[in-house]
Coordinates of all heavy atoms in Angstrom, one line a residue:
D107 N -17.9 31.0 0.5 CA -17.4 29.6 0.4 C -16.1 29.5 1.2 O -15.3 30.4 1.2 CB -17.1 29.2 -1.0 CG -18.4 29.1 -1.8 OD1 -19.5 28.8 -1.2 OD2 -18.4 29.2 -3.0
T108 N -15.9 28.4 1.8 CA -14.7 28.1 2.6 C -13.7 27.3 1.7 O -14.0 26.7 0.7 CB -15.0 27.3 3.9 OG1 -15.6 26.1 3.5 CG2 -15.9 28.1 4.8
F109 N -12.5 27.3 2.2 CA -11.4 26.5 1.5 C -11.6 25.0 1.8 O -11.8 24.7 2.9 CB -10.0 27.0 2.0 CG -8.9 26.3 1.3 CD1 -8.6 26.7 0.0 CD2 -8.2 25.3 1.9 CE1 -7.5 26.1 -0.6 CE2 -7.1 24.7 1.3 CZ -6.8 25.1 0.0
N110 N -11.5 24.2 0.8 CA -11.8 22.8 0.9 C -10.4 22.0 1.0 O -9.8 21.8 0.0 CB -12.6 22.3 -0.3 CG -13.0 20.8 -0.1 OD1 -12.7 20.2 0.9 ND2 -13.8 20.3 -1.1
F111 N -10.1 21.7 2.2 CA -8.8 21.0 2.4 C -8.8 19.5 1.9 O -7.8 18.9 1.7 CB -8.4 20.9 3.9 CG -7.9 22.2 4.4 CD1 -8.8 23.1 5.2 CD2 -6.6 22.6 4.2 CE1 -8.3 24.3 5.6 CE2 -6.1 23.9 4.6 CZ -7.0 24.7 5.4
A112 N -10.0 19.0 1.7 CA -10.1 17.6 1.2 C -9.5 17.5 -0.2 O -9.2 16.4 -0.6 CB -11.6 17.2 1.2
R113 N -9.4 18.6 -0.9 CA -8.8 18.5 -2.3 C -7.3 18.1 -2.2 O -6.8 17.7 -3.3 CB -8.9 19.8 -3.0 CG -10.4 20.2 -3.3 CD -10.5 21.5 -4.0 NE -11.9 21.8 -4.2 CZ -12.3 22.7 -5.0 NH1 -11.4 23.4 -5.8 NH2 -13.5 23.0 -5.2
Y114 N -6.7 18.3 -1.1 CA -5.2 18.0 -1.0 C -4.9 16.7 -0.2 O -3.9 16.6 0.3 CB -4.6 19.2 -0.3 CG -4.7 20.4 -1.2 CD1 -5.7 21.4 -0.9 CD2 -3.9 20.6 -2.3 CE1 -5.9 22.5 -1.7 CE2 -4.0 21.8 -3.1 CZ -5.0 22.7 -2.8 OH -5.2 23.8 -3.6
H115 N -5.9 15.8 -0.2 CA -5.7 14.5 0.5 C -4.6 13.7 -0.1 O -3.9 12.9 0.6 CB -7.0 13.7 0.6 CG -7.4 13.2 -0.7 ND1 -6.9 12.1 -1.3 CD2 -8.3 13.7 -1.6 CE1 -7.4 11.9 -2.5 NE2 -8.3 12.9 -2.7
F116 N -4.3 13.9 -1.4 CA -3.2 13.2 -2.0 C -1.8 13.5 -1.5 O -0.8 12.8 -1.6 CB -3.2 13.3 -3.5 CG -3.0 14.7 -4.0 CD1 -1.7 15.1 -4.3 CD2 -4.0 15.6 -4.1 CE1 -1.4 16.4 -4.7 CE2 -3.8 16.9 -4.5 CZ -2.5 17.3 -4.8
L117 N -1.7 14.7 -0.8 CA -0.4 15.1 -0.2 C -0.2 14.4 1.2 O 1.0 14.4 1.7 CB -0.4 16.6 0.0 CG -0.4 17.4 -1.2 CD1 -0.5 18.9 -0.9 CD2 0.8 17.2 -2.1
R118 N -1.2 13.8 1.8 CA -1.0 13.2 3.1 C 0.1 12.1 3.1 O 0.9 12.2 4.0 CB -2.4 12.5 3.5 CG -2.3 12.0 4.9 CD -3.7 11.4 5.3 NE -4.2 10.4 4.4 CZ -3.9 9.1 4.5 NH1 -3.2 8.7 5.5 NH2 -4.3 8.2 3.7
P119 N 0.2 11.2 2.2 CA 1.3 10.2 2.2 C 2.7 10.9 2.2 O 3.6 10.5 2.9 CB 1.1 9.3 1.0 CG -0.3 9.5 0.7 CD -0.7 10.8 1.1
M120 N 2.8 12.0 1.4 CA 4.1 12.7 1.4 C 4.4 13.3 2.7 O 5.6 13.2 3.2 CB 4.1 13.8 0.3 CG 5.4 14.5 0.2 SD 5.3 15.9 -0.9 CE 4.4 17.1 0.1
V121 N 3.5 13.9 3.4 CA 3.7 14.5 4.7 C 4.1 13.4 5.7 O 5.0 13.6 6.5 CB 2.4 15.2 5.1 CG1 2.5 15.7 6.6 CG2 2.2 16.4 4.2
I122 N 3.4 12.3 5.6 CA 3.7 11.2 6.6 C 5.1 10.7 6.4 O 5.9 10.5 7.3 CB 2.7 10.0 6.4 CG1 1.3 10.5 6.9 CG2 3.1 8.8 7.1 CD1 0.2 9.5 6.6
Y123 N 5.5 10.4 5.1 CA 6.9 9.9 4.8 C 7.9 11.0 5.1 O 9.0 10.6 5.6 CB 7.0 9.4 3.4 CG 6.3 8.1 3.2 CD1 5.3 8.0 2.3 CD2 6.6 7.0 4.0 CE1 4.6 6.8 2.2 CE2 5.9 5.8 3.9 CZ 4.9 5.7 3.0 OH 4.3 4.5 2.8
A124 N 7.6 12.2 4.9 CA 8.6 13.3 5.3 C 8.8 13.4 6.8 O 9.9 13.5 7.3 CB 8.1 14.6 4.7
S125 N 7.7 13.2 7.5 CA 7.8 13.2 9.0 C 8.6 12.0 9.5 O 9.4 12.1 10.4 CB 6.4 13.2 9.6 OG 5.6 14.3 9.2
F126 N 8.3 10.8 8.8 CA 9.1 9.6 9.2 C 10.6 9.8 8.9 O 11.4 9.4 9.8 CB 8.5 8.4 8.4 CG 9.2 7.1 8.8 CD1 9.0 6.6 10.1 CD2 9.9 6.4 7.9 CE1 9.6 5.4 10.4 CE2 10.5 5.2 8.2 CZ 10.4 4.7 9.5
A127 N 10.9 10.4 7.8 CA 12.3 10.6 7.5 C 12.9 11.6 8.5 O 14.1 11.4 8.9 CB 12.4 11.2 6.0
L128 N 12.2 12.6 8.8 CA 12.7 13.6 9.8 C 12.9 12.9 11.2 O 13.9 13.1 11.8 CB 11.8 14.8 9.9 CG 12.2 15.9 10.9 CD1 13.5 16.5 10.5 CD2 11.1 16.9 11.0
A129 N 12.0 12.1 11.6 CA 12.1 11.3 12.8 C 13.3 10.4 12.8 O 14.1 10.3 13.8 CB 10.9 10.5 13.1
L130 N 13.6 9.7 11.7 CA 14.7 8.9 11.5 C 16.0 9.7 11.6 O 17.0 9.2 12.2 CB 14.7 8.1 10.2 CG 13.7 7.0 10.1 CD1 13.7 6.3 8.7 CD2 13.9 5.9 11.2
K131 N 16.0 10.9 11.0 CA 17.3 11.7 11.1 C 17.5 12.1 12.5 O 18.7 12.1 13.0 CB 17.1 12.9 10.2 CG 18.3 13.8 10.3 CD 18.1 15.0 9.4 CE 19.4 15.9 9.5 NZ 19.3 17.2 8.9
I132 N 16.5 12.5 13.3 CA 16.7 12.9 14.7 C 17.2 11.7 15.5 O 18.1 11.8 16.3 CB 15.3 13.4 15.2 CG1 15.0 14.8 14.6 CG2 15.4 13.6 16.7 CD1 13.6 15.3 14.9
I133 N 16.6 10.5 15.3 CA 17.1 9.3 16.0 C 18.5 9.0 15.6 O 19.3 8.7 16.5 CB 16.1 8.1 15.7 CG1 14.7 8.3 16.3 CG2 16.7 6.8 16.2 CD1 13.7 7.3 15.9
Y134 N 18.8 9.1 14.3 CA 20.2 8.8 13.8 C 21.2 9.7 14.5 O 22.3 9.2 14.8 CB 20.2 9.0 12.3 CG 21.5 8.6 11.6 CD1 21.8 7.3 11.3 CD2 22.4 9.6 11.3 CE1 22.9 6.9 10.7 CE2 23.6 9.2 10.7 CZ 23.9 7.9 10.4 OH 25.1 7.5 9.8
L135 N 20.9 10.9 14.7 CA 21.9 11.9 15.3 C 22.1 11.7 16.8 O 22.9 12.4 17.3 CB 21.4 13.3 14.9 CG 21.5 13.7 13.5 CD1 20.9 15.1 13.2 CD2 22.9 13.5 12.9
Q136 N 21.4 10.8 17.4 CA 21.5 10.7 18.9 C 22.6 9.8 19.3 O 22.9 9.8 20.5 CB 20.2 10.1 19.4 CG 18.9 10.9 19.2 CD 19.1 12.3 19.8 OE1 19.5 12.5 21.0 NE2 18.8 13.3 19.0
G137 N 23.3 9.1 18.4 CA 24.5 8.3 18.8 C 24.5 7.1 18.0 O 23.7 6.8 17.2
F138 N 25.6 6.3 18.2 CA 25.9 5.1 17.4 C 24.8 4.1 17.5 O 24.3 3.5 16.5 CB 27.2 4.5 17.7 CG 27.6 3.3 16.9 CD1 27.9 3.4 15.6 CD2 27.5 2.0 17.5 CE1 28.2 2.3 14.8 CE2 27.8 0.9 16.7 CZ 28.2 1.0 15.4
N139 N 24.4 3.7 18.7 CA 23.3 2.7 18.9 C 22.0 3.1 18.3 O 21.3 2.4 17.7 CB 23.2 2.3 20.3 CG 24.3 1.5 20.9 OD1 25.0 0.9 20.1 ND2 24.5 1.6 22.1
W140 N 21.7 4.4 18.4 CA 20.5 5.0 17.9 C 20.5 5.0 16.3 O 19.5 4.9 15.7 CB 20.2 6.3 18.4 CG 19.7 6.3 19.8 CD1 20.3 6.6 20.9 CD2 18.4 5.8 20.2 NE1 19.6 6.4 22.1 CE2 18.3 5.9 21.6 CE3 17.3 5.3 19.6 CZ2 17.2 5.5 22.4 CZ3 16.2 4.9 20.3 CH2 16.1 5.0 21.7
A141 N 21.8 5.2 15.8 CA 21.9 5.2 14.3 C 21.6 3.8 13.8 O 20.9 3.7 12.7 CB 23.3 5.6 14.0
K142 N 22.0 2.8 14.5 CA 21.6 1.4 14.1 C 20.1 1.2 14.1 O 19.5 0.6 13.3 CB 22.4 0.4 14.9 CG 23.9 0.3 14.6 CD 24.7 -0.7 15.3 CE 24.1 -1.4 16.4 NZ 25.0 -2.3 17.1
T143 N 19.5 1.7 15.2 CA 18.1 1.6 15.3 C 17.3 2.3 14.2 O 16.4 1.8 13.6 CB 17.6 2.2 16.7 OG1 18.3 1.6 17.7 CG2 16.1 2.1 16.9
A144 N 17.8 3.5 13.8 CA 17.2 4.3 12.7 C 17.3 3.5 11.4 O 16.4 3.4 10.6 CB 17.8 5.7 12.6
K145 N 18.5 2.9 11.2 CA 18.7 2.1 9.9 C 17.7 0.9 9.9 O 17.1 0.6 8.9 CB 20.1 1.7 9.8 CG 21.1 2.8 9.5 CD 22.5 2.3 9.5 CE 23.5 3.5 9.3 NZ 24.9 3.0 9.3
G146 N 17.6 0.3 11.1 CA 16.7 -0.9 11.2 C 15.3 -0.5 10.9 O 14.5 -1.2 10.3
L147 N 14.8 0.7 11.5 CA 13.5 1.1 11.2 C 13.2 1.4 9.8 O 12.2 1.2 9.2 CB 13.2 2.4 12.1 CG 13.1 2.1 13.6 CD1 13.0 3.5 14.3 CD2 11.8 1.3 13.9
A148 N 14.2 2.0 9.1 CA 14.1 2.3 7.7 C 14.0 1.0 6.9 O 13.1 0.9 6.0 CB 15.3 3.1 7.2
V149 N 14.8 0.0 7.2 CA 14.7 -1.3 6.5 C 13.3 -1.9 6.8 O 12.7 -2.5 5.8 CB 15.9 -2.2 6.9 CG1 15.6 -3.6 6.4 CG2 17.2 -1.6 6.4
M150 N 12.9 -1.9 8.0 CA 11.6 -2.5 8.3 C 10.4 -1.8 7.6 O 9.5 -2.4 7.1 CB 11.3 -2.4 9.8 CG 12.2 -3.4 10.6 SD 12.0 -3.5 12.4 CE 10.8 -2.4 12.8
Q151 N 10.5 -0.5 7.4 CA 9.5 0.3 6.7 C 9.5 -0.1 5.2 O 8.4 -0.3 4.6 CB 9.8 1.8 6.8 CG 8.8 2.6 6.1 CD 7.4 2.6 6.6 OE1 7.2 2.3 7.8 NE2 6.4 2.8 5.8
I152 N 10.7 -0.3 4.6 CA 10.8 -0.7 3.2 C 10.2 -2.1 3.0 O 9.4 -2.4 2.1 CB 12.2 -0.6 2.7 CG1 12.7 0.8 2.6 CG2 12.4 -1.3 1.4 CD1 14.1 1.0 2.4
I153 N 10.5 -3.0 4.0 CA 9.9 -4.4 3.9 C 8.4 -4.3 4.0 O 7.7 -5.0 3.3 CB 10.6 -5.3 5.0 CG1 12.0 -5.5 4.6 CG2 9.8 -6.6 5.1 CD1 12.8 -6.2 5.7
L154 N 7.9 -3.5 5.0 CA 6.5 -3.4 5.2 C 5.8 -2.9 3.9 O 4.7 -3.4 3.5 CB 6.2 -2.5 6.4 CG 4.7 -2.3 6.7 CD1 4.2 -3.5 7.3 CD2 4.6 -1.1 7.7
L155 N 6.4 -1.9 3.3 CA 5.8 -1.3 2.0 C 5.8 -2.3 0.9 O 4.9 -2.3 0.1 CB 6.6 -0.1 1.6 CG 6.4 1.2 2.5 CD1 7.3 2.3 2.1 CD2 4.9 1.6 2.5
C156 N 6.8 -3.2 0.9 CA 6.8 -4.3 -0.2 C 5.6 -5.2 0.0 O 5.0 -5.6 -1.0 CB 8.1 -5.1 -0.1 SG 9.5 -4.2 -0.7
F157 N 5.2 -5.5 1.2 CA 4.0 -6.4 1.4 C 2.7 -5.7 1.1 O 1.7 -6.4 0.8 CB 4.0 -6.9 2.8 CG 5.1 -8.0 3.1 CD1 6.1 -7.7 4.0 CD2 5.0 -9.2 2.4 CE1 7.0 -8.7 4.3 CE2 6.0 -10.1 2.6 CZ 7.0 -9.9 3.6
F158 N 2.7 -4.4 1.2 CA 1.4 -3.7 0.9 C 1.4 -3.0 -0.4 O 0.6 -2.1 -0.7 CB 1.1 -2.7 2.1 CG 0.7 -3.3 3.3 CD1 1.6 -3.5 4.4 CD2 -0.5 -3.8 3.5 CE1 1.3 -4.1 5.5 CE2 -0.9 -4.5 4.7 CZ 0.0 -4.6 5.7
N159 N 2.3 -3.4 -1.3 CA 2.3 -2.8 -2.7 C 1.1 -3.3 -3.4 O 0.8 -4.5 -3.5 CB 3.6 -3.3 -3.3 CG 3.8 -2.6 -4.7 OD1 2.9 -2.4 -5.4 ND2 5.1 -2.4 -5.0
D160 N 0.4 -2.3 -4.1 CA -0.8 -2.7 -4.9 C -0.5 -3.7 -6.0 O -1.4 -4.5 -6.3 CB -1.4 -1.4 -5.5 CG -2.0 -0.6 -4.4 OD1 -2.3 -1.1 -3.3 OD2 -2.3 0.6 -4.7
E161 N 0.7 -3.7 -6.6 CA 1.0 -4.6 -7.6 C 1.1 -6.0 -7.1 O 0.8 -7.0 -7.8 CB 2.4 -4.2 -8.3 CG 2.3 -2.9 -9.0 CD 1.4 -2.9 -10.2 OE1 1.3 -3.9 -10.9 OE2 0.8 -1.9 -10.4
I162 N 1.5 -6.2 -5.8 CA 1.5 -7.5 -5.2 C 0.2 -8.0 -4.7 O -0.3 -9.1 -4.9 CB 2.6 -7.5 -4.1 CG1 4.0 -7.3 -4.7 CG2 2.5 -8.8 -3.3 CD1 5.1 -7.1 -3.7
I163 N -0.5 -7.0 -4.1 CA -1.8 -7.4 -3.5 C -2.8 -7.8 -4.6 O -3.6 -8.7 -4.4 CB -2.4 -6.2 -2.7 CG1 -1.5 -6.0 -1.4 CG2 -3.8 -6.4 -2.3 CD1 -1.9 -4.7 -0.6
Y164 N -2.9 -7.1 -5.7 CA -3.9 -7.3 -6.7 C -3.4 -8.1 -7.9 O -4.0 -8.0 -8.9 CB -4.5 -5.9 -7.1 CG -5.1 -5.2 -6.0 CD1 -4.6 -4.0 -5.6 CD2 -6.2 -5.6 -5.4 CE1 -5.1 -3.3 -4.5 CE2 -6.8 -5.0 -4.4 CZ -6.3 -3.8 -3.9 OH -6.8 -3.1 -2.9
Q165 N -2.3 -8.9 -7.7 CA -1.8 -9.6 -8.9 C -2.7 -10.7 -9.3 O -2.7 -11.2 -10.5 CB -0.4 -10.1 -8.6 CG -0.3 -11.2 -7.5 CD 1.1 -11.6 -7.3 OE1 2.0 -11.1 -7.9 NE2 1.3 -12.4 -6.3
K166 N -3.6 -11.2 -8.5 CA -4.5 -12.3 -8.8 C -5.9 -11.9 -9.2 O -6.8 -12.6 -9.4 CB -4.7 -13.3 -7.6 CG -3.4 -13.9 -7.2 CD -2.9 -14.9 -8.1 CE -1.6 -15.6 -7.6 NZ -0.8 -16.3 -8.5
K167 N -6.1 -10.6 -9.3 CA -7.4 -10.0 -9.7 C -7.6 -10.1 -11.2 O -6.7 -10.3 -12.0 CB -7.5 -8.5 -9.3 CG -7.3 -8.3 -7.8 CD -8.4 -9.0 -7.0 CE -8.2 -8.8 -5.5 NZ -9.0 -9.6 -4.7
P168 N -8.9 -10.1 -11.7 CA -9.1 -10.2 -13.1 C -8.5 -9.2 -13.9 O -8.3 -8.0 -13.5 CB -10.6 -10.1 -13.2 CG -11.1 -9.6 -11.9 CD -10.1 -9.8 -10.9
T169 N -8.1 -9.5 -15.2 CA -7.6 -8.6 -16.1 C -8.7 -7.7 -16.6 O -9.9 -8.0 -16.4 CB -6.9 -9.3 -17.3 OG1 -7.9 -10.1 -18.0 CG2 -5.8 -10.3 -16.8
V170 N -8.4 -6.7 -17.4 CA -9.4 -5.8 -18.0 C -10.3 -6.6 -18.9 O -11.5 -6.5 -18.9 CB -8.8 -4.7 -18.7 CG1 -9.8 -3.8 -19.5 CG2 -8.0 -3.8 -17.8
K171 N -9.7 -7.5 -19.7 CA -10.5 -8.3 -20.6 C -11.5 -9.3 -19.8 O -12.6 -9.4 -20.2 CB -9.6 -9.2 -21.5 CG -10.3 -9.9 -22.6 CD -9.4 -10.5 -23.6 CE -10.2 -11.2 -24.7 NZ -9.4 -11.6 -25.8
Q172 N -11.0 -9.9 -18.7 CA -11.9 -10.7 -17.9 C -12.9 -9.9 -17.2 O -14.1 -10.4 -17.1 CB -11.0 -11.5 -16.9 CG -10.1 -12.5 -17.5 CD -9.1 -13.0 -16.4 OE1 -8.8 -12.3 -15.5 NE2 -8.6 -14.2 -16.6
F173 N -12.6 -8.7 -16.8 CA -13.6 -7.9 -16.1 C -14.7 -7.5 -17.0 O -15.9 -7.5 -16.6 CB -12.9 -6.6 -15.6 CG -13.7 -5.7 -14.8 CD1 -14.1 -5.9 -13.5 CD2 -14.3 -4.5 -15.4 CE1 -14.9 -5.1 -12.8 CE2 -15.1 -3.7 -14.7 CZ -15.4 -4.0 -13.4
Y174 N -14.4 -7.1 -18.2 CA -15.5 -6.7 -19.1 C -16.3 -7.9 -19.7 O -17.4 -7.7 -20.1 CB -15.0 -5.8 -20.2 CG -14.7 -4.4 -19.7 CD1 -13.5 -3.9 -19.5 CD2 -15.8 -3.6 -19.4 CE1 -13.3 -2.7 -18.9 CE2 -15.6 -2.3 -18.9 CZ -14.3 -1.9 -18.7 OH -14.1 -0.6 -18.2
A175 N -15.7 -9.0 -19.9 CA -16.4 -10.3 -20.3 C -17.4 -10.0 -21.4 O -18.6 -10.2 -21.3 CB -17.0 -11.0 -19.1
E176 N -16.8 -9.6 -22.6 CA -17.7 -9.2 -23.7 C -18.6 -10.4 -24.1 O -19.8 -10.1 -24.5 CB -16.8 -8.8 -24.9 CG -16.1 -7.5 -24.6 CD -15.2 -7.1 -25.7 OE1 -15.2 -7.7 -26.8 OE2 -14.4 -6.2 -25.5
E177 N -18.1 -11.6 -24.1 CA -19.0 -12.7 -24.5 C -20.2 -12.9 -23.6 O -21.3 -13.2 -24.0 CB -18.2 -14.0 -24.6 CG -17.1 -14.0 -25.7 CD -16.2 -15.2 -25.6 OE1 -16.5 -16.2 -24.8 OE2 -15.2 -15.3 -26.4
L178 N -19.9 -12.8 -22.3 CA -21.0 -12.9 -21.3 C -22.0 -11.8 -21.5 O -23.2 -12.1 -21.5 CB -20.4 -12.8 -19.9 CG -21.4 -12.9 -18.7 CD1 -22.1 -14.3 -18.8 CD2 -20.7 -12.7 -17.4
F179 N -21.6 -10.6 -21.7 CA -22.6 -9.5 -22.0 C -23.4 -9.7 -23.3 O -24.5 -9.4 -23.3 CB -21.8 -8.1 -22.0 CG -21.5 -7.6 -20.7 CD1 -20.2 -7.6 -20.3 CD2 -22.5 -7.1 -19.8 CE1 -19.8 -7.1 -19.0 CE2 -22.1 -6.6 -18.6 CZ -20.8 -6.6 -18.2
Q180 N -22.7 -10.3 -24.2 CA -23.5 -10.7 -25.5 C -24.5 -11.7 -25.2 O -25.6 -11.6 -25.7 CB -22.5 -11.1 -26.6 CG -23.1 -11.4 -27.9 CD -23.7 -10.1 -28.5 OE1 -23.2 -9.0 -28.3 NE2 -24.9 -10.3 -29.2
E181 N -24.2 -12.7 -24.4 CA -25.2 -13.7 -24.0 C -26.3 -13.1 -23.2 O -27.5 -13.5 -23.4 CB -24.5 -14.8 -23.2 CG -23.5 -15.7 -23.9 CD -22.9 -16.7 -23.0 OE1 -23.4 -17.1 -21.9 OE2 -21.8 -17.2 -23.4
I182 N -26.0 -12.2 -22.3 CA -27.1 -11.5 -21.6 C -28.0 -10.7 -22.5 O -29.2 -10.8 -22.4 CB -26.5 -10.6 -20.5 CG1 -25.8 -11.5 -19.4 CG2 -27.6 -9.7 -19.9 CD1 -24.9 -10.7 -18.5
K183 N -27.4 -10.0 -23.5 CA -28.1 -9.3 -24.4 C -29.1 -10.2 -25.2 O -30.3 -9.8 -25.5 CB -27.2 -8.5 -25.3 CG -27.8 -7.5 -26.3 CD -26.6 -6.9 -27.0 CE -27.1 -5.8 -28.0 NZ -26.0 -5.2 -28.7
E184 N -28.6 -11.3 -25.7 CA -29.4 -12.3 -26.4 C -30.5 -12.9 -25.5 O -31.6 -13.1 -26.0 CB -28.5 -13.4 -27.0 CG -27.6 -12.8 -28.1 CD -26.5 -13.8 -28.5 OE1 -26.5 -15.0 -28.0 OE2 -25.7 -13.5 -29.3
H185 N -30.2 -13.1 -24.3 CA -31.2 -13.7 -23.4 C -32.3 -12.7 -23.1 O -33.5 -13.1 -23.0 CB -30.5 -14.0 -22.0 CG -31.5 -14.6 -21.0 ND1 -31.9 -15.9 -21.1 CD2 -32.0 -14.1 -19.9 CE1 -32.7 -16.2 -20.1 NE2 -32.8 -15.1 -19.4
I186 N -32.1 -11.4 -23.0 CA -33.1 -10.5 -22.8 C -34.0 -10.3 -24.0 O -35.2 -10.2 -23.9 CB -32.5 -9.1 -22.4 CG1 -31.8 -9.2 -21.0 CG2 -33.6 -8.0 -22.3 CD1 -31.1 -8.0 -20.6
A187 N -33.4 -10.4 -25.2 CA -34.1 -10.4 -26.5 C -35.1 -9.2 -26.7 O -36.2 -9.4 -27.2 CB -34.8 -11.7 -26.7
L188 N -34.7 -8.1 -26.2 CA -35.5 -6.9 -26.4 C -34.6 -5.8 -27.0 O -33.4 -5.8 -26.7 CB -36.1 -6.3 -25.1 CG -37.2 -7.2 -24.5 CD1 -37.6 -6.6 -23.1 CD2 -38.5 -7.2 -25.3
P189 N -35.1 -4.8 -27.7 CA -34.3 -3.7 -28.2 C -33.7 -3.0 -27.0 O -34.5 -2.7 -26.0 CB -35.2 -2.9 -29.0 CG -36.4 -3.7 -29.4 CD -36.5 -4.8 -28.3
Q190 N -32.5 -2.5 -27.0 CA -31.9 -1.9 -25.8 C -32.6 -0.5 -25.5 O -32.5 -0.1 -24.4 CB -30.4 -1.7 -26.1 CG -29.6 -3.0 -25.9 CD -28.1 -2.7 -26.0 OE1 -27.7 -2.0 -26.9 NE2 -27.4 -3.3 -25.1
E191 N -33.2 0.0 -26.5 CA -33.9 1.3 -26.2 C -35.1 1.2 -25.3 O -35.6 2.1 -24.7 CB -34.3 2.0 -27.5 CG -33.2 2.4 -28.5 CD -32.7 1.2 -29.3 OE1 -33.4 0.2 -29.6 OE2 -31.5 1.3 -29.6
E192 N -35.6 -0.1 -25.2 CA -36.8 -0.3 -24.4 C -36.6 -0.6 -22.9 O -37.6 -0.7 -22.2 CB -37.6 -1.4 -25.0 CG -38.2 -1.1 -26.4 CD -39.0 -2.2 -27.0 OE1 -39.4 -3.1 -26.2 OE2 -39.3 -2.2 -28.2
Y193 N -35.4 -0.8 -22.5 CA -35.1 -1.2 -21.1 C -33.8 -0.6 -20.7 O -33.0 -0.2 -21.4 CB -35.2 -2.7 -20.9 CG -34.0 -3.4 -21.6 CD1 -32.8 -3.7 -20.9 CD2 -34.1 -3.9 -22.9 CE1 -31.8 -4.3 -21.5 CE2 -33.1 -4.5 -23.5 CZ -31.9 -4.7 -22.8 OH -30.9 -5.4 -23.4
R194 N -33.7 -0.5 -19.3 CA -32.4 -0.1 -18.7 C -32.0 -1.1 -17.7 O -32.8 -1.7 -17.1 CB -32.6 1.3 -18.1 CG -33.0 2.4 -19.0 CD -32.7 3.7 -18.4 NE -33.2 4.8 -19.2 CZ -32.4 5.4 -20.2 NH1 -31.2 5.0 -20.4 NH2 -32.9 6.4 -20.9
V195 N -30.7 -1.2 -17.6 CA -30.1 -2.1 -16.6 C -29.2 -1.3 -15.7 O -28.4 -0.5 -16.2 CB -29.3 -3.2 -17.3 CG1 -28.6 -4.1 -16.3 CG2 -30.2 -4.0 -18.2
A196 N -29.3 -1.5 -14.4 CA -28.4 -0.8 -13.5 C -27.4 -1.8 -12.8 O -27.7 -2.9 -12.6 CB -29.3 -0.2 -12.4

């Protein structure tokens, strides 16, 4: 068996952000004007991340209670009117 690198896919964001931080440090050390550029890039990255935050993107999605809709499933069960052991639903 070979080593499965796909098991470590959750580390990818950390590697990307560490690389970005290292790049910002290198840019920052190039001089005063570049230091301002590095700070601007860091601020832009933070703003960008705010817009792509899962809590903001999915705030209008159904709640857990709405997702499971117990009353609706009860109505479906009554509409089918068969014992559940006799049929399957996918």
Side-chain angles (χ1 to χ4, degrees):
D107 291 337
T108 61
F109 183 76
N110 187 358
F111 285 102
R113 293 182 184 195
Y114 298 97
H115 66 82
F116 65 91
L117 294 174
R118 186 177 57 88
M120 182 189 70
V121 171
I122 291 170
Y123 287 121
S125 301
F126 183 67
L128 181 62
L130 287 179
K131 181 180 179 188
I132 293 169
I133 292 171
Y134 184 83
L135 295 174
Q136 298 304 311
F138 180 72
N139 288 337
W140 286 106
K142 289 185 346 187
T143 301
K145 288 177 186 176
L147 289 171
V149 168
M150 288 179 4
Q151 180 66 25
I152 291 169
I153 292 170
L154 182 71
L155 288 175
C156 287
F157 286 117
F158 289 102
N159 185 326
D160 288 342
E161 296 294 325
I162 294 171
I163 292 174
Y164 299 114
Q165 68 184 353
K166 301 287 186 197
K167 299 297 179 193
T169 64
V170 174
K171 187 171 185 169
Q172 292 169 333
F173 180 79
Y174 283 106
E176 294 176 10
E177 294 175 7
L178 179 61
F179 282 108
Q180 186 61 35
E181 289 178 24
I182 293 169
K183 189 176 180 180
E184 292 169 4
H185 179 76
I186 293 174
L188 292 172
Q190 284 184 314
E191 296 80 28
E192 294 183 13
Y193 68 92
R194 297 201 185 269
V195 177

